[in-house]
């Protein structure tokens, strides 16, 4: 399909080719519901990479809801999470009556260790660390804090597949973690996710919760002669058709990450000087992380300047969205934010000043060049800088 390089979306689903054949093969296999052969293959690959049990689920949101059930969250339990995160991070626990305590983030967009130290107490049941843009907070230090009060550390690694923390795969450092396979992520199947179970004491109950609260998994393993309702649960299984679509992307994850990295570094090389001159910061990743190039983010000095930039790019048919509205300032989330918790200035700064540039596996070099030229044009108008964008072409990687 021919694409117009002068109409650039923010993201696109991965196209490795052959998806129609993959789906025909899956349909011919006759198993379309969850926990089928494609799901098993995906889980095997993920477990081999992460060295801990993994179970496919219907979304990262549902993986977070399973975390709340596994932790037996009840009304009055306190759960700490960053304010600058997707609503599911907090909502999954609020659904069970948890009192959400919002922490600020650091200048990488990850939960602030200092703020967690301020908020954590004997009433804290869990701390949820969102691994923002494929980076993370200092998870070892967070774990020590959690252990000091007997709380769980959970990882919302929805954006972080393929990234690592001190050599360990992100998503596998907390007691429980999750990935998203939404179409906006590095790999995806439209909708989907995974629950990562580092603390294996949760494993048996996770199987039950994922299967509507039944011991159906034991039945298929031949461990019981019939299955029945034994606990709370819901329908959290990913369709095997979706897993079939996802499988070749897990196989090709290193290739996909490397290709995104080429685009990420091309942006960095072409833009860092001119952006620095006009006071715009490129979002970086902590040194202890190996990033997965999920996002190329820019933080602007003011909200007004960001709006001008987005309008400039939109006029050229380039999508450059901002990200979350901080949850502590949202209509529903504000009911959890206590006056004594104070202001969360970096969360608000990210909400007001962050922009994300287009980056996706099947991006055309001409599309990225067009984005870079549009940014240079805006910076030239802002500061009167004169320069012609050099033509750095990203060579396609063979599929």
């Amino acid at each position: 399909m021919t694409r117009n390089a002068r109409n650039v979306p923010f993201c696109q689903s991965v196209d490795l080719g052959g998806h129609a054949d993959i789906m025909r093969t899956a349909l011919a296999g006759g198993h379309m519901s969850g926990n089928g052969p494609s799901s098993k293959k995906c889980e095997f690959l993920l477990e081999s990479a992460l060295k801990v049990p993994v179970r496919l689920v219907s979304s990262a949101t549902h993986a977070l809801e399973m975390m709340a059930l596994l932790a037996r969250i009840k009304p009055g339990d306190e759960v700490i999470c960053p304010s600058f995160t997707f609503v599911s991070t907090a909502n999954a626990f609020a659904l069970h009556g948890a009192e959400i305590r919002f922490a600020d983030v650091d200048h990488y967009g990850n939960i602030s260790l200092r703020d967690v130290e301020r908020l954590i107490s004997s009433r804290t049941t869990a701390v949820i660390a969102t691994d923002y843009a494929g980076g993370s907070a200092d998870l070892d230090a967070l774990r020590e804090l959690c252990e000091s009060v007997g709380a769980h550390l959970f990882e919302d690694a929805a954006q972080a597949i393929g990234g690592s923390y001190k050599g360990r795969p992100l998503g596998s450092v907390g007691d429980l973690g999750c990935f998203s396979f939404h179409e906006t992520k590095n790999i995806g199947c439209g909708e989907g996710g995974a629950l990562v179970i580092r603390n294996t004491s949760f494993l048996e109950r996770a199987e039950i919760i994922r299967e509507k609260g039944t011991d159906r998994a034991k039945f298929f393993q031949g461990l019981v002669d019939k299955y029945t309702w034994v606990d709370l649960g819901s329908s959290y299984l990913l369709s095997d058709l979706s897993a079939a679509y996802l499988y070749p992307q897990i196989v090709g994850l290193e290739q996909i990450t490397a290709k995104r990295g080429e685009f990420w570094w091309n942006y960095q090389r072409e833009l860092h000087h001119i952006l620095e001159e006009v006071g715009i910061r490129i979002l970086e990743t902590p040194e202890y992380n190996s990033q997965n190039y999920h996002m190329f983010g820019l933080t602007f000095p003011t909200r007004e300047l960001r709006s001008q930039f987005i309008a400039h790019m939109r006029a050229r048919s380039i999508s450059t969205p901002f990200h979350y509205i901080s949850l502590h300032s949202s209509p529903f989330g504000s009911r959890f934010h206590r006056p004594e918790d104070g202001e969360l200035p970096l969360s608000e700064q990210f909400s007001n000043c962050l922009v994300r540039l287009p980056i996706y596996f099947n991006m055309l070099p001409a599309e990225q060049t067009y984005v870079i030229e549009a940014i240079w044009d805006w910076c030239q108008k802002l500061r009167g800088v004169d320069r012609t964008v050099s033509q750095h072409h990203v060579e396609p990687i063979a599929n």
Side-chain angles (χ1 to χ4, degrees):
M1 181 179 68
T2 302
R3 299 213 305 261
N4 182 0
R6 293 182 176 267
N7 186 352
V8 185
F10 167 62
C11 64
Q12 280 188 344
S13 300
V14 172
D15 183 2
L16 293 171
H19 289 295
D21 292 337
I22 291 166
M23 299 311 290
R24 277 193 290 269
T25 300
L27 285 167
H31 190 123
M32 291 182 283
S33 60
N35 211 19
S38 294
S39 298
K40 297 295 187 185
K41 290 196 300 182
C42 288
E43 289 173 355
F44 175 79
L45 285 181
L46 291 169
E47 289 180 347
S48 297
L50 273 64
K51 311 302 182 187
V52 294
V54 178
R55 296 294 179 267
L56 291 189
V57 293
S58 39
S59 66
T61 295
H62 282 164
L64 287 160
E65 291 178 13
M66 288 182 68
M67 291 182 198
L69 286 166
L70 288 165
R72 303 185 187 277
I73 298 296
K74 61 186 183 303
D77 287 345
E78 289 189 2
V79 171
I80 299 172
C81 73
S83 178
F84 187 70
T85 188
F86 190 57
V87 60
S88 297
T89 312
N91 194 56
F93 298 88
L95 275 169
H96 296 274
E99 289 292 326
I100 307 298
R101 306 294 300 275
F102 290 119
D104 205 0
V105 294
D106 59 24
H107 69 279
Y108 299 108
N110 295 302
I111 193 168
S112 165
L113 181 63
R114 181 176 298 178
D115 235 27
V116 174
E117 289 176 336
R118 180 172 62 87
L119 295 171
I120 201 165
S121 72
S122 59
R123 297 183 298 278
T124 304
T125 303
V127 174
I128 321 300
T130 298
D131 297 335
Y132 187 66
S136 73
D138 186 339
L139 296 172
D140 286 338
L142 278 178
R143 174 173 294 285
E144 288 182 11
L145 275 177
C146 289
E147 289 176 348
S148 71
V149 298
H152 297 294
L153 174 62
F154 294 154
E155 260 186 283
D156 179 351
Q159 304 173 9
I161 193 164
S164 68
Y165 164 78
K166 297 182 181 178
R168 288 168 279 170
L170 286 171
S172 70
V173 183
D175 297 320
L176 297 169
C178 69
F179 296 126
S180 171
F181 301 128
H182 187 268
E183 66 178 359
T184 58
K185 302 303 187 289
N186 290 24
I187 62 173
C189 52
E191 299 279 355
L195 178 70
V196 182
I197 309 169
R198 191 190 69 84
N199 184 340
T200 54
S201 68
F202 288 123
L203 180 57
E204 181 176 347
R205 191 158 173 259
E207 295 275 16
I208 291 168
I209 289 170
R210 190 175 68 143
E211 280 278 18
K212 301 90 176 167
T214 73
D215 56 357
R216 190 166 181 257
K218 285 187 174 182
F219 172 73
F220 283 113
Q221 294 168 21
L223 301 177
V224 294
D225 59 2
K226 58 183 180 297
Y227 68 89
T228 187
W229 186 17
V230 296
D231 202 343
L232 291 173
S234 192
S235 184
Y236 291 131
L237 291 167
L238 181 69
S239 159
D240 212 56
L241 288 179
S242 296
Y245 190 91
L246 180 66
Y247 177 72
Q249 296 175 62
I250 299 177
V251 172
L253 180 59
E254 288 187 8
Q255 170 195 355
I256 292 167
T257 303
K259 182 72 172 291
R260 293 179 69 100
E262 291 180 14
F263 287 120
W264 196 98
W265 284 108
N266 206 40
Y267 275 139
Q268 169 78 11
R269 181 173 55 249
E270 288 292 324
L271 295 174
H272 75 282
H273 285 309
I274 185 63
L275 291 172
E276 188 177 80
E277 288 178 10
V278 295
I280 298 166
R281 181 173 69 90
I282 295 172
L283 184 68
E284 298 177 340
T285 303
E287 291 184 357
Y288 48 67
N289 289 128
S290 173
Q291 68 157 311
N292 67 346
Y293 307 107
H294 173 67
M295 189 179 94
F296 196 92
L298 307 177
T299 53
F300 286 70
T302 66
R303 184 172 187 166
E304 292 73 25
L305 202 62
R306 180 184 74 171
S307 296
Q308 293 171 23
F309 175 83
I310 291 173
H312 168 87
M313 301 298 276
R314 186 185 298 120
R316 286 153 181 78
S317 299
I318 301 169
S319 178
T320 55
F322 49 84
H323 218 175
Y324 316 121
I325 303 300
S326 292
L327 297 182
H328 78 281
S329 63
S330 66
F332 191 83
S334 61
R335 69 181 64 189
F336 293 107
H337 192 56
R338 307 174 185 180
E340 62 267 27
D341 287 349
E343 297 181 355
L344 306 179
L346 285 177
S347 295
E348 293 178 7
Q349 182 182 8
F350 273 100
S351 291
N352 293 330
C353 300
L354 180 79
V355 158
R356 296 173 291 162
L357 300 188
I359 187 168
Y360 40 92
F361 174 72
N362 297 104
M363 195 174 197
L364 300 175
E367 289 175 324
Q368 187 176 40
T369 296
Y370 180 58
V371 174
I372 292 168
E373 288 174 343
I375 295 171
W376 266 94
D377 180 54
W378 183 79
C379 291
Q380 287 169 350
K381 291 176 180 177
L382 192 66
R383 293 292 301 273
V385 177
D386 184 22
R387 189 259 199 192
T388 301
V389 178
S390 63
Q391 301 298 307
H392 287 279
H393 294 290
V394 179
E395 294 297 326
I397 296 176
N399 290 337

